[in-house]
Amino acid sequence: MAKSRILLVGCGGIGTVAALNLEAGNRAEVTCVLRSNHAAVLQKGFAIESCDHGSVAHWRPTQVLDAVPSHPSPPFDYIVCCTKNIPDAPPSLCDLIAPAVAPGQTSIVLIQNGVNIERPFIARFPDNLVLSGVSRTDAHEITPGTIQHKQPDSLDVGAFPHPSIPLARQENVAREFVRIYSAGGKTNCRYDGHVALSRWQKLVYNACLNPICALTGLDTGTLQLDRQSMETLVRPAMREVIQVAAALGHRLPEDVIETTIASNPVEKRISPSMLVDLRKGNLIEHENLLGEVVREADAIGIQTPTLTMLYNLCCAVQLRTKQSRGLISI
Amino acid sequence: MAKSRILLVGCGGIGTVAALNLEAGNRAEVTCVLRSNHAAVLQKGFAIESCDHGSVAHWRPTQVLDAVPSHPSPPFDYIVCCTKNIPDAPPSLCDLIAPAVAPGQTSIVLIQNGVNIERPFIARFPDNLVLSGVSRTDAHEITPGTIQHKQPDSLDVGAFPHPSIPLARQENVAREFVRIYSAGGKTNCRYDGHVALSRWQKLVYNACLNPICALTGLDTGTLQLDRQSMETLVRPAMREVIQVAAALGHRLPEDVIETTIASNPVEKRISPSMLVDLRKGNLIEHENLLGEVVREADAIGIQTPTLTMLYNLCCAVQLRTKQSRGLISI
């Protein structure tokens, strides 16, 4: 069986684990596009400490590039995007991958958080399928090329509804990607027939605990122990997410608030990604995790006072980061 | 004329300038209680670079102590409090000064921000007058004992309404304090007949720009240049303060929002005190600057969604600071 040709953009923790799984099954050749860690990986490969794969030294995917290739021949079957999604800072991911997208052939896989992330891709590449990847993996790049992978890989894959591609093809391609990704046997990758529901469910964490921790500097464990924060910030925000999701037709499980809180045990003192990014002086992903929720709510006339305040504060925080990184001068 | 005996607690920037003015007129003997800078000042006095007093080297008030004295004899005429007001962290200022308060004799002067700060004092010392000092001075302690005083001293003094002390006496004592404080001629100290109005007016800055800058890390200049922050955070918060003040009978000037914004010129890039405190890892004064506004609003049934969110986030931030300073273990 011919191997699938895959371009993977964004080889941090999640991306590297994805690349490793994709090659482990011997059904894909993965070309990775690296930026900050390109020199390190070219020289000595990845060093991966993985709960699924053990200690993997000097690992290299089939190919390592420092930029997205233009009009590759033959074209890629899949472009897997594992970068942070920060639409408010150029370049856009669409622009970034455009030179490598073969119309009608390349499927785009977004292993990223947030809702409505597929919209710019479907608009820009109307003949290409866009797949959703929701990862619940805990993997981080500690130093360039060194990956710590602490919680078993878990990935839900399904097709984002596409206006002009037959449903059967959408499902087939998604299931085929799951087979390729799962072939190595060291991952829990599942087909996801309810892409939107999964994404909204994850927002109960990502639109709430994520910005609240980022704005206050508290980890999720400390936050949980503080009754005032839970009752005045966390739960009201979560209830707003559930309300917006329901109004859009996505009925989340009744116990979603309690299961989301319980899945972040106090003793783990988890620092959500936005807080980690802020501490590193990096831009945050508030537009897709929070901004889209607020905009969807506005569009259908639902009040989200808590999420709106969190969003506006996150925008101001993002402004500061852009200023301190010299991205804007204000 | 016998000099007034004054105990001054909290000799940072504002407190030291106050001590200097009080002694400069030769109508008061000031005993200062120092904590963090006690050793430095005992050894070489204060070094003050002041726009009002010039360069003052090795300055010492009449007496320097490292704790509030118990039952001083003769008792103090005034106890001037220039500490930060952080009622959510012990010891309370009431507890701190209690040993030196002579019932019916000592007047307590609070040169501090916020509303309702007099309440615990009037409750605890029912026979003692409590005076309000609203300072608009820019003075900071750079290193222990070294004070930079950049904007001319400006102090409004009046009596907080007291339930059991005759009005005439309240006004006389306040005016007498103004005379003592002003006698040196190098300050702009005025009698304030509308204590509450001045305090609520100052909250248009302190309950709004102060926490927003603290939570986002932006200075007031950058914030002003960001239309989104001004329209979604700053102005809504300011309108809520004005609304609560009005409901309590304090009608602020119609142009108070614009004059408050204009008094913080963009080019000065001012970092409000809460932001400065947070950067230093210090506790913030959110309870009297913001919490009291929210509680007053709740009590009279006024909605303050913006201020309430800011307050709840500030509480969580304060929790983090208490945790990192070992004041609580959570």
Side-chain angles (χ1 to χ4, degrees):
Chain A
M1 188 187 310
K3 289 187 179 181
S4 291
R5 280 174 51 77
I6 296 182
L7 182 71
L8 190 144
V9 182
C11 245
I14 302 292
T16 305
V17 170
L20 191 59
N21 278 309
L22 285 164
E23 293 231 327
N26 224 12
R27 299 207 27 204
E29 293 182 342
V30 181
T31 297
C32 288
V33 179
L34 312 187
R35 306 291 283 252
S36 60
N37 51 5
H38 182 260
V41 172
L42 211 62
Q43 199 196 332
K44 53 188 174 62
F46 281 101
I48 307 168
E49 206 54 60
S50 165
C51 54
D52 291 339
H53 299 267
S55 288
V56 185
H58 308 297
W59 183 76
R60 284 183 182 82
T62 297
Q63 203 178 357
V64 170
L65 301 178
D66 65 354
V68 171
S70 271
H71 306 290
S73 174
F76 289 106
D77 300 304
Y78 300 91
I79 298 180
V80 178
C81 300
C82 302
T83 57
K84 294 263 174 193
N85 209 337
I86 301 173
D88 52 316
S92 78
L93 191 53
C94 271
D95 286 345
L96 198 70
I97 66 166
V101 176
Q105 293 186 51
T106 309
S107 294
I108 297 159
V109 188
L110 303 178
I111 304 185
Q112 297 177 310
N113 286 318
V115 293
N116 298 343
I117 60 172
E118 76 283 10
R119 289 189 178 174
F121 293 88
I122 289 175
R124 175 81 167 265
F125 311 112
D127 301 323
N128 296 78
L129 205 62
V130 186
L131 302 185
S132 160
V134 170
S135 172
R136 291 184 179 79
T137 309
D138 178 16
H140 293 277
E141 188 173 41
I142 309 304
T143 59
T146 306
I147 308 292
Q148 208 166 63
H149 174 202
K150 286 180 162 179
Q151 262 184 31
D153 191 56
S154 166
L155 185 66
D156 293 343
V157 175
F160 284 110
H162 198 292
S164 58
I165 295 174
L167 262 178
R169 177 152 184 259
Q170 294 181 34
E171 183 174 333
N172 286 343
V173 173
R175 288 192 183 277
E176 174 62 12
F177 186 82
V178 170
R179 277 190 292 273
I180 297 169
Y181 192 97
S182 305
K186 293 183 174 170
T187 173
N188 179 14
C189 178
R190 295 165 301 268
Y191 173 72
D192 176 7
H194 300 278
V195 165
L197 194 67
S198 312
R199 290 193 166 266
W200 277 94
Q201 183 157 348
K202 211 172 169 195
L203 285 187
V204 175
Y205 178 92
N206 269 330
C208 307
L209 287 167
N210 221 330
I212 292 168
C213 289
L215 289 166
T216 63
L218 293 175
D219 60 74
T220 60
T222 307
L223 202 56
Q224 270 182 72
L225 293 173
D226 183 39
R227 194 165 177 280
Q228 184 181 352
S229 295
M230 292 304 286
E231 297 309 322
T232 65
L233 298 167
V234 177
R235 288 177 197 275
M238 289 178 166
R239 284 193 288 267
E240 290 175 13
V241 171
I242 293 168
Q243 209 190 342
V244 180
L248 294 170
H250 315 303
R251 206 158 287 281
L252 300 180
E254 292 222 342
D255 61 350
V256 66
I257 289 183
E258 297 317 314
T259 54
T260 301
I261 293 170
S263 68
N264 294 278
V266 167
E267 60 278 11
K268 286 214 175 171
R269 307 268 163 179
I270 295 167
S271 292
S273 60
M274 270 194 207
L275 175 56
V276 173
D277 283 332
L278 263 194
R279 283 189 186 137
K280 288 184 182 170
N282 288 342
L283 294 169
I284 56 174
E285 298 187 291
H286 68 301
E287 288 296 352
N288 283 116
L289 299 188
L290 188 50
E292 282 301 310
V293 183
V294 169
R295 285 183 283 270
E296 289 281 3
D298 275 355
I300 54 180
I302 289 181
Q303 301 286 311
T304 54
T306 314
L307 296 174
T308 301
M309 270 294 286
L310 293 175
Y311 172 62
N312 289 324
L313 286 165
C314 281
C315 289
V317 165
Q318 188 85 322
L319 184 76
R320 183 194 60 182
T321 306
K322 287 180 182 172
Q323 191 182 31
S324 68
R325 293 177 69 118
L327 296 174
I328 52 165
S329 127
I330 193 168
Chain B
M1 191 187 308
K3 289 186 179 182
S4 291
R5 281 174 51 78
I6 296 182
L7 183 70
L8 189 144
V9 182
C11 244
I14 301 291
T16 305
V17 170
L20 191 58
N21 278 310
L22 284 164
E23 293 232 326
N26 224 12
R27 299 206 27 202
E29 292 182 342
V30 181
T31 297
C32 288
V33 179
L34 312 188
R35 307 291 283 254
S36 61
N37 51 6
H38 181 258
V41 172
L42 211 61
Q43 199 195 332
K44 52 187 172 65
F46 282 102
I48 308 168
E49 205 55 60
S50 164
C51 54
D52 291 339
H53 299 266
S55 289
V56 185
H58 308 297
W59 183 76
R60 285 182 180 85
T62 296
Q63 202 178 355
V64 170
L65 301 178
D66 65 355
V68 171
S70 272
H71 307 290
S73 175
F76 289 106
D77 300 304
Y78 299 92
I79 298 179
V80 179
C81 301
C82 302
T83 57
K84 295 263 176 194
N85 209 338
I86 302 173
D88 52 315
S92 77
L93 191 52
C94 271
D95 286 343
L96 198 70
I97 66 167
V101 176
Q105 294 186 53
T106 310
S107 294
I108 298 159
V109 188
L110 303 178
I111 304 185
Q112 297 177 311
N113 287 317
V115 292
N116 297 344
I117 60 172
E118 76 284 10
R119 289 189 179 174
F121 294 88
I122 289 175
R124 175 81 167 266
F125 312 111
D127 301 323
N128 296 77
L129 205 61
V130 186
L131 302 185
S132 160
V134 171
S135 173
R136 292 185 178 78
T137 308
D138 178 17
H140 295 276
E141 187 172 42
I142 309 304
T143 58
T146 306
I147 308 293
Q148 209 166 61
H149 173 202
K150 285 180 163 177
Q151 264 184 29
D153 190 56
S154 166
L155 184 67
D156 292 342
V157 175
F160 284 110
H162 197 293
S164 57
I165 295 175
L167 262 178
R169 179 155 181 256
Q170 295 182 33
E171 182 174 332
N172 285 343
V173 174
R175 289 191 183 276
E176 174 62 14
F177 186 83
V178 170
R179 276 191 292 272
I180 296 169
Y181 193 97
S182 304
K186 293 182 173 172
T187 173
N188 179 16
C189 178
R190 294 166 301 269
Y191 173 72
D192 175 6
H194 300 278
V195 165
L197 194 68
S198 311
R199 291 194 166 266
W200 277 93
Q201 183 158 347
K202 211 173 169 193
L203 285 187
V204 175
Y205 178 92
N206 269 330
C208 307
L209 287 167
N210 222 330
I212 292 168
C213 289
L215 289 165
T216 63
L218 293 174
D219 60 75
T220 61
T222 307
L223 203 56
Q224 270 181 71
L225 293 172
D226 182 40
R227 195 167 175 280
Q228 184 181 352
S229 294
M230 292 304 286
E231 297 309 323
T232 64
L233 299 168
V234 177
R235 287 178 198 275
M238 288 179 167
R239 283 194 287 267
E240 290 174 13
V241 171
I242 294 168
Q243 208 189 342
V244 180
L248 294 169
H250 315 304
R251 206 159 287 281
L252 300 180
E254 293 223 340
D255 61 350
V256 66
I257 290 183
E258 297 318 314
T259 53
T260 301
I261 293 171
S263 68
N264 294 278
V266 167
E267 60 278 12
K268 285 214 175 169
R269 308 268 165 180
I270 295 168
S271 292
S273 60
M274 271 192 205
L275 175 55
V276 173
D277 283 332
L278 264 193
R279 283 189 186 137
K280 288 184 183 171
N282 288 342
L283 294 168
I284 56 175
E285 297 187 289
H286 68 301
E287 287 295 352
N288 283 117
L289 299 188
L290 187 50
E292 282 302 310
V293 183
V294 169
R295 285 184 282 270
E296 289 282 2
D298 276 354
I300 54 180
I302 290 181
Q303 301 285 312
T304 53
T306 314
L307 296 174
T308 301
M309 270 295 285
L310 293 174
Y311 172 63
N312 289 323
L313 286 166
C314 281
C315 288
V317 166
Q318 188 85 323
L319 184 76
R320 183 194 59 182
T321 306
K322 287 180 183 173
Q323 192 182 28
S324 68
R325 293 177 68 118
L327 295 175
I328 51 166
S329 127
I330 193 168

